[in-house]
């Protein structure tokens, strides 16, 4: 995906990314939100876990590095 997002094919790759996220189990609204953030030039990092300790650890790492965190 990284190679596809850099260069002339970025527009088509982003639409494909949204579809891929939906196929991977993300809701349509989440996939569109991620796509919107990528269009704005942001990086989207998705951490999926049901383990509360891992969720807290992921948030702590992102906060320490001044990343914006948002649970969806």
């Amino acid at each position: 995906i990284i190679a596809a997002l850099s260069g002339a094919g970025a527009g088509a790759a982003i639409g494909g990314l949204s579809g891929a996220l939906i196929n991977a189990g993300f809701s349509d609204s989440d996939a569109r939100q991620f796509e919107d953030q990528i269009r704005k030039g942001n990086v989207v990092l998705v951490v999926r876990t049901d383990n509360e300790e891992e969720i807290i650890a992921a948030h702590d790492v992102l906060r320490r590095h001044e990343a914006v965190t948002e649970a969806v």
Side-chain angles (χ1 to χ4, degrees):
I1 293 175
I2 293 171
L5 289 176
S6 61
I14 290 172
L17 175 59
S18 181
L21 289 168
I22 291 168
N23 288 338
F26 289 94
S27 71
D28 184 63
S29 63
D30 286 349
R32 290 182 193 280
Q33 180 182 10
F34 295 152
E35 182 178 336
D36 182 55
Q37 290 301 314
I38 292 169
R39 283 186 193 276
K40 291 178 182 177
N42 295 318
V43 173
V44 174
L45 172 68
V46 177
V47 178
R48 291 187 115 179
T49 181
D50 292 327
N51 181 311
E52 187 67 27
E53 289 179 15
E54 291 174 350
I55 293 169
I56 293 168
H59 277 267
D60 288 346
V61 169
L62 293 171
R63 276 190 223 106
R64 277 197 311 270
H65 295 280
E66 299 179 7
V68 176
T69 63
E70 184 174 325
V72 289

